[in-house]
Amino acid sequence: MSNSPEADDSVLEIRGQHPLSGHIKVSGAKNSALVVMAGTLLCSQACRLRNIPDLVDVERMAAVLTALGVKVTKEADCLDVDPSDISHTRAPYEIVSKLRASFFVIGPLLARMGVARIPLPGGCAIGARPVELHVRGLQAMGADVQIEHGTVHACIPGTRGRLQGAKIYLDYPSVGATETLMMAATLADGETIIDNAAQEPEVADLANFCRAMGARIRGVGTKTLTIVGVPSLHSTEYAIIPDRIEAGTFLIAGAITRSTLTLSPVVPEHLGAVIAKLREAGSDVQIESHNRVRLLPGEEILPTDIQTLPYPGFPTDMQAQFMALMTLSNGNSLITETVFENRLRHVAEFNRMGANIRVNGNCAVVQGSSILSGAPVMATDLRASAALVLAGLGAHGTTVMSGLHHLDRGYERLERKLTQAGARITRIDGQSSTSPSDVTHSTVQPSH
Ligand code: EPZ
């Protein structure tokens, strides 16, 4: 059972400078699980999903599906979803406000039921997160979409009952918009072309899931997707891909503690940019087999510039973790965040640990040093929380991290996996280990 999202007053106590060793198992990809769960709405029969991680966000997506009348049961990493009887077409605000990804149900719900009413997900810690690319694409497919009182009302007007295929160009290769429109197109009349589509592996995973249900999709993994609508989709059993961001996080845990680690399962080509940058930073990453990699740390951590970009560029979800590594490099690194407009909030927390990072717009200049010192820190978003754990592993002394509700949304038992590999991390319920004045509180940000 994942840790309760309400466990907001728990903290992680991380004792730094302990080497790691051995093998870490990588869980199923959060950003595949969430959108594939939404994709089951396209099907009028029960589906079985495998390799589903035990995360708060997965529980929240299951709650959204349940609110729509879908039967959802989870047994270990296996999720049985029976969407044969969708009784509601409005997603509840109290759940959507906690899980941005629940907005992904709009495409499949509209395509399957002809109507969908989804609260606007709103902004979050890393940015405004607009959804106009989703909305404009659905309108191009013939949907009538109005936004009233913070809710997106979408319906298929008249007696057509089905969306119409369309040629859509995305101004930005948005992962979510690509996924929304691809799902909607699987049941539309005619052919839909999505140009400038996102190429993230999780988009390809969703496409492969839809194809397993009988969807007709070409160009999977490229920037042009062609979908020919079919009357209906059928039951399937599908295992999602391993989480490339969790794997990248563990690779950096090895590099920052100068430890040799092996990870599996992984898909090495999903980690192309991360592996290239870790090699540039002095680590050796060996691809041991089609689903296993080994990290060998370098003598030193070398300063390395990164710029986050849509896949196959360096992933924005790895930016904070890589910055943690650069704080211990022997030079200066330039880190440029081009995907989200406010995803450098972890800089202040790293500087509390003795890092020397200056921010100018969407760029951070990291002046590496030999020492980070443990301190009380606050997680500001999902990936920043993982990055602070990594910094704590590399720091001298003890780091106490609060804001664990961010961490538990996206990582399956992170501290347990790292502890099994030799880290000294303890989850402490409440704040008995630090006086409240040490740890600043922040309002719980809606997750993204
Ligand atoms: C997905 O978010 C992921 N979430 C994010 O992971 C990830 O960081 C992001 O893709 C980029 O890879 C899930 O898959 C659940 P986008 P998404 O639409 O789909 C702008 C994590 O930590 N944009 O590709 O919301 C947007 O503001 C999370 O696991 C528009 O302007 O990302 C952003 O600047 C964080 N209009 C950029 O595009 C739109 O209509 C990329 O957003 C849609 C997006």
Side-chain angles (χ1 to χ4, degrees):
M1 184 65 183
S2 61
N3 303 292
S4 151
E6 281 64 46
D8 193 29
D9 60 355
S10 295
V11 296
L12 281 190
E13 198 169 82
I14 306 144
R15 292 177 182 75
Q17 295 289 307
H18 290 278
L20 308 181
S21 63
H23 177 268
I24 297 182
K25 179 186 177 305
V26 179
S27 301
K30 167 181 84 82
N31 290 348
S32 274
L34 297 176
V35 73
V36 167
M37 287 169 74
T40 61
L41 292 168
L42 292 165
C43 186
S44 47
Q45 300 169 344
C47 288
R48 169 161 289 185
L49 306 178
R50 293 194 179 284
N51 201 27
I52 300 295
D54 183 15
L55 302 173
V56 167
D57 273 6
V58 167
E59 290 167 10
R60 286 175 173 159
M61 181 59 89
V64 171
L65 296 180
T66 304
L68 298 173
V70 177
K71 297 176 189 64
V72 183
T73 52
K74 189 166 192 291
E75 181 66 41
D77 72 348
C78 177
L79 197 75
D80 284 317
V81 183
D82 181 358
S84 52
D85 179 18
I86 295 177
S87 50
H88 296 78
T89 55
R90 175 188 293 276
Y93 174 74
E94 60 277 6
I95 305 176
V96 174
S97 59
K98 293 193 182 81
L99 174 64
R100 283 189 46 75
S102 30
F103 190 72
F104 289 161
V105 303
I106 190 167
L109 200 53
L110 178 63
R112 171 90 184 281
M113 304 299 289
V115 63
R117 286 159 296 175
I118 317 292
L120 271 175
C124 69
I126 62 178
R129 311 297 292 276
V131 290
E132 88 286 349
L133 295 177
H134 302 241
V135 171
R136 291 209 318 249
L138 292 174
Q139 289 171 330
M141 296 171 76
D144 175 41
V145 185
Q146 306 296 328
I147 298 178
E148 291 157 5
H149 310 300
T151 293
V152 180
H153 296 262
C155 68
I156 301 174
T159 56
R160 278 198 307 242
R162 292 171 73 88
L163 293 169
Q164 303 301 307
K167 185 163 170 43
I168 299 166
Y169 171 79
L170 291 178
D171 294 351
Y172 184 91
S174 155
V175 170
T178 302
E179 292 169 340
T180 290
L181 300 175
M182 178 171 68
M183 288 190 282
T186 61
L187 295 178
D189 279 336
E191 180 177 86
T192 298
I193 296 175
I194 304 175
D195 207 356
N196 198 27
Q199 301 174 68
E200 274 70 1
E202 295 75 24
V203 176
D205 207 20
L206 172 67
N208 291 329
F209 167 64
C210 291
R211 286 164 64 169
M213 290 192 290
R216 294 173 59 192
I217 304 173
R218 296 197 312 272
V220 175
T222 75
K223 70 178 185 63
T224 304
L225 293 170
T226 303
I227 306 105
V228 178
V230 294
S232 66
L233 296 177
H234 57 71
S235 176
T236 190
E237 181 165 335
Y238 188 81
I240 65 169
I241 56 174
D243 195 316
R244 62 192 168 102
I245 304 301
E246 186 196 23
T249 303
F250 288 133
L251 286 175
I252 292 187
I256 207 167
T257 57
R258 306 289 209 286
S259 310
T260 296
L261 281 178
T262 59
L263 302 179
S264 73
V266 298
V267 179
E269 56 268 22
H270 290 171
L271 284 159
V274 172
I275 288 173
K277 284 297 176 178
L278 278 170
R279 286 172 174 159
E280 196 179 319
S283 295
D284 181 15
V285 182
Q286 295 173 353
I287 296 172
E288 293 197 327
S289 74
H290 71 286
N291 72 349
R292 187 184 177 94
V293 294
R294 175 185 297 270
L295 177 114
L296 298 152
E299 284 304 307
E300 293 180 297
I301 299 170
L302 305 177
T304 305
D305 296 347
I306 61 165
Q307 175 178 249
T308 65
L309 288 167
Y311 193 89
F314 191 92
T316 175
D317 293 349
M318 282 297 303
Q319 178 256 106
Q321 297 93 311
F322 198 83
M323 187 186 288
L325 182 64
M326 290 300 103
T327 64
L328 287 172
S329 77
N330 58 10
N332 292 346
S333 308
L334 177 63
I335 293 181
T336 308
E337 171 58 56
T338 74
V339 176
F340 288 107
E341 70 269 25
N342 187 29
R343 203 174 197 175
L344 294 171
R345 293 180 57 199
H346 37 279
V347 166
E349 296 303 305
F350 286 145
N351 286 342
R352 285 171 51 82
M353 299 175 71
N356 182 347
I357 308 170
R358 285 175 294 114
V359 173
N360 181 2
N362 67 339
C363 294
V365 177
V366 183
Q367 188 174 333
S369 69
S370 55
I371 291 220
L372 275 183
S373 57
V377 292
M378 165 61 84
T380 52
D381 72 74
L382 166 57
R383 304 304 175 182
S385 57
L388 285 167
V389 172
L390 298 179
L393 294 178
H396 284 74
T398 299
T399 297
V400 178
M401 183 177 82
S402 50
L404 299 194
H405 59 285
H406 292 296
L407 188 70
D408 295 337
R409 288 187 29 241
Y411 284 89
E412 187 176 46
R413 297 186 284 277
L414 181 71
E415 74 268 16
R416 214 175 294 170
K417 291 187 177 182
L418 289 170
T419 303
Q420 282 167 358
R424 303 289 175 83
I425 306 178
T426 311
R427 180 180 286 252
I428 300 169
D429 291 328
Q431 288 176 2
S432 54
S433 68
T434 35
S435 60
S437 58
D438 283 352
V439 180
T440 52
H441 282 275
S442 77
T443 52
V444 172
Q445 295 281 356
S447 59
H448 34 270

